[in-house]
Amino acid sequence: MSRANASRIPVKLHRRVSLIQAADAVLAEELLARKGLARLVVGRLSETVLLVRPGEEDAVLEELRRMGQTPRVER
Amino acid sequence: MSAPDRTRGHRTTTMTDTTPTDAPQSPARSSPSGGDYLAALKQYEPSRRIRIFEAIAPDEAAPRPGEVASSIAARLGDAPVISAACERLGHRPRVALSLFSLSRSDRLTASELAPALRALGAEPASALVPLLELGLLVAHDHAGRPLPDLGSVAAEASASLALILHPSLREATPNTLPVAAAPPPSGSAGLVREADGLEPILRLAALWQRVRAAPIRQTQQGTLFKRDRERLAEDPALVGPIADALEPLPDMAGLWLELARVIGLIEAEPGSDRIVATDAEFWSEHAVHLPHMLGLAWLGLRAWDEQAGRPDDESSGELPSPLLRPVALLWLAARGETEWTALDDLAANLERLSPGWVHRPDPGPDPSDPPRRSTRGRAKPPRSGAATSRLAATLLGPAYQLGLVRVAEESPGRRRLVQLTPLGRYVLGVGRPPAPRETFETFLVVQPNFEVLAYRQGLQPWLVGLLSRFLDWEQLGAAAELRLSAESVYRGLEGGLTPEQMAARLERHSGRPLPPAVADALTTWSGRRERLAFHTSATLIEFLRPEDLEAALADWPDGDGKPVPSRVSGRILLVPEGAAIPYHRFRVAGSRDYRQPSEPCVEVEPDGVTLGLDLGRTDLLIDAEIGRLADPVAARSRSIRAGESPRRWYRVSRGSLTRALGEGMTPQQLERWFEGRTGAPPPPAVRLLLHAMESPTGPAFRIDRPVVLHAPSPELLDGLFQHPDGRGLLGERLGPRSVVVPAGSVDALRRVLLAIGLTLGSEDDDAT
């Protein structure tokens, strides 16, 4: 491995990921408590970030709106 | 500025080649490409095609027989050729082209065209034959009957005979006005009424909001689901009475729905049965042109009729031809800008020129046609005055509401007079763009209970669009009632407006500061959106160690105002769209696209229940997935070989599988997970556990003490299996030299061996 290459920071790229980012952990918990939404969430990346099952973006948005949430949608 | 032609949005001038066996679509349906034209041309007799080629390219050698049709289509695609062909046309063929242009049709049936041409004073044969001779139109019999000669095509009143326009004539065909004996001029006009043209725009704005909030679903036949149909048909903002109405509009929800479809305000969602609202940008891009776009859209509307409304079932037939609309407007356009025409004079003139056409709801039945459908609200008009009634429904209904015609009362006589407005003349292509309406800056009343009253005098199409983005239309009348709500503010934010822009717009048009409750609510509702972000296509960078993340973040290049990444966790950064990733600082060990199927990153150890997670190939989903069906184990199953990525170990157990199944994972999903993540079906050890859980009362494992025969050599045991006296006494072969002997066969086997000169020893013999 060349010296230049060795000095670089090893990373993994995750592209086109769907996730929900809540302002606080309580809101994230509230979302997970909703059964319809919880089944669309694969896991939790942190206290406030939920990983969404790929291909379920429309269903998640619909469920969030049904909950009365008004998420900022970043496409 | 000219209006964008969204009403022609479904059209293209691309000529798609099709084989001669590709039958064109049924008559009176628009074709998305020129394929139908070419297919119909290829079904012509060769001599007819040659004559068309010679007519448009007299100086060129005829192409090879198989290429004549495509050569004609290609030649007419050249602007000089099509211009030269059109210059040779007389007045009547040009009138025929106007009907195609104004009805936004690529094809019309002979039964539609012929009476409409007569109503414009153009004898059908003299109008259509020149177009057929030059290939500008091609005829196709949908019922498969042989085509008559060109002269007879026009005389055919068959609904199965379609006339298909060359694609290059779809755009910018100038409209030609009728010159036959016009209706007599009217007396002097008084009590002039002209609609503000906002009614359809307001209703469409309300429809857009309703569909945006809850998309509507349609069946495979294109009709709406009952629940959605009723929801729209009962919405007061869509079907409430129109304040300035001269004629009732049947099935108003259906009219707005069809107009919205044609102009692209709502659209079918690809790959689903839903109709969804288009983005809010539609309003900023097109609102100013909406009067023109809607006028054009209405002229060609086929799925809604002024007397029948919208059919219940689109699959079972056609509504009356829409050509009455362009015919009536062309007659009005033929009059001077200030001249009025009495409605009953116009009806009488049309009756005289094309008897029975105006009041007849359908073209004559054709034997090849499917049975006609029933339509909601359709009633046969009485013979007397039916033509005037239908004309009134057309001109005083949608044409008046769209602002295409104005109405007056004749003096003396008190007959209803009609005249094209400047917008009407512009839509027909015989006038300049109309001057904008006088504007009033202050026309809103914003009330503390979030209701907003809008006086129509101040509304403009572009203002309707702007207000639609963040206010809900609730009631439409002489004044419009709107409401500010959390949902409407959210819609505005999602459409790109800021809370400040919304507040400023309300203050500007109400002429005073917002009531404190409204201002506070606007701030609160806007803030709620910031509490939750949904990223549908985010880029994440995962670091091995938190300190790597911190180092990368500290040296992240300043992007001249570009968005900067944010921490998702101690090792993961979220990179917003538009942010530049400094790849030169990173060594990308792996890249995963989450729209693609998941990749194998788990190895099954030889024991079948230990899973090794290859950390070099993992993605964000795997931890959650594997955690459902296996438990982490600290101890390594084996040493990592040189060059291998680090592993994390998990073990599948009855407890972990019970948990997975309890959380809703099915055995089939488990099977798919193993195939996707390990590249192989579940190992036997996992199947054993699954079997134990699925079939606890199934066939049991069994234990017994078999008698085992050990032969001195495999060959001797083979001999015993082959010998007719021995093979029936042996059970399952356990190995090359050993076989199970059923308990009841030991003595018989001993006798057989003795008979052939061998003895059967025992364990005791070996011991001694």
Side-chain angles (χ1 to χ4, degrees), chain A residues 1 4-24 26-28 30-31 41-62 64-65 67-75, chain B residues 269 274 486-487 490 494 525 528-544 548 551-552 566-569 572 574 577 581 583-596 614-621 624-625 628:
Chain A
M1 190 186 300
N5 204 28
S7 67
R8 292 177 178 176
I9 304 172
V11 296
K12 267 202 293 190
L13 280 184
H14 304 275
R15 293 179 293 114
R16 301 205 286 178
V17 184
S18 299
L19 50 92
I20 300 170
Q21 199 169 20
D24 52 54
V26 177
L27 180 55
E30 189 186 321
L31 298 180
V41 171
V42 182
R44 210 164 169 172
L45 293 182
S46 71
E47 280 196 327
T48 57
V49 180
L50 310 179
L51 188 61
V52 168
R53 200 177 292 283
E56 300 284 5
E57 291 78 16
D58 288 344
V60 166
L61 201 53
E62 216 159 279
L64 286 174
R65 287 177 177 162
M67 290 174 73
Q69 299 292 344
T70 52
R72 176 166 49 86
V73 182
E74 304 277 349
R75 293 185 192 275
Chain B
E269 186 178 53
R274 304 197 313 171
E487 290 74 27
Y490 176 57
E494 285 294 292
W525 290 332
R528 280 180 57 189
R529 179 172 173 265
E530 297 308 314
R531 286 176 47 76
L532 200 61
F534 180 35
H535 302 265
T536 62
S537 188
T539 299
L540 301 177
I541 302 180
E542 183 184 1
F543 296 85
L544 279 179
D548 289 344
S566 59
R567 287 184 190 79
V568 166
S569 70
I572 298 177
L574 169 62
E577 193 183 351
I581 298 176
Y583 284 107
H584 64 280
R585 300 202 57 235
F586 299 137
R587 179 161 48 84
V588 179
S591 179
R592 162 89 157 87
D593 183 341
Y594 285 70
R595 300 280 167 86
Q596 301 297 323
D614 180 347
L615 298 184
R617 294 189 292 160
T618 54
D619 56 36
L620 297 168
L621 306 174
E625 290 174 4
R628 291 180 72 188

Side-chain angles (χ1 to χ4, degrees), chain B residues 57 116 186 489 560:
Chain B
S186 69
V489 170
D560 298 329

